[in-house]
Amino acid sequence: MKTIIVANWKMNPQTLAEAKRLFASVERGAAVKNIELVICPPFVYCFLFSAFRLLGAQNCFWQKEGAYTGEISPQMLKSVNCRYVIVGHSERRKFLREADEVVNKKIKAALEAGLKVIVCVAGLSQAKESLKGINLSKVKNLIIAYEPIFAVGTGRPCSINRAEKMRILINKQTGGKIPVLYGGSVTSQNADHYVKKAGFQGLLIGGSSIKAKEFLTIVKKLDNKS
Ligand code: PGA
């Protein structure tokens, strides 16, 4: 199985021109064999990159259509060629008070629409609650990202040992077949440790994904070592 690297651009960059530049640099440098490289720009830029094979979004709503001002449905994402969606990111849980119940509805809706869903969890109870009612032994298209709150966007990555322990617990809780990624202050210095030492299937990268050079260094390192 390929190593999965997900670039979560968050609410960056500020302009369309910058987004185009960033995308072009990443795409140009990312001719890799052993990596599934997913890029998740903000919604407004998604359409622009719809020719990219592994496009993702950072969120979705749980309904297909209707009177839900400001929301974007999984079906809309599919129609602009998004194949992936991140659900339950800790920043949404924190700033928008997204609860496990809401995350759960979004996961189900996105799976039903045929998207690959990257579910962010900060620990076992979030994993349990967010995945309620989903048949984990049968489900395809589900990826879990372990993102400890203290490590997301802080420059304080989780220790490899602690991350590995959580990876094992999450694997156990979810039946062992669902890929588990690590996210939280990943850099070119620590990226391969999470995959090679702690056994994660890949990485969810925020800050380092909008620095093209740094991001490509991570991608290349993992591609060579796979
Ligand atoms: P970070 O973000 O790499 O900037 O810590 C990770 C994430 O938000 O998924």
Side-chain angles (χ1 to χ4, degrees), residues 8 10 89 91 147 151-153 184-186 204-207:
N8 174 17
K10 308 194 184 193
H89 192 279
E91 286 151 8
E147 296 213 310
V152 175
S185 299
V186 170
L204 175 51
I205 306 178

Side-chain angles (χ1 to χ4, degrees), residues 54 90-91 97 109 119 129 147 149 153 156:
L54 300 175
S90 60
E91 286 151 8
R97 309 221 185 289
V119 183
E129 295 301 316
E147 296 213 310
I149 308 282
R156 291 199 305 275

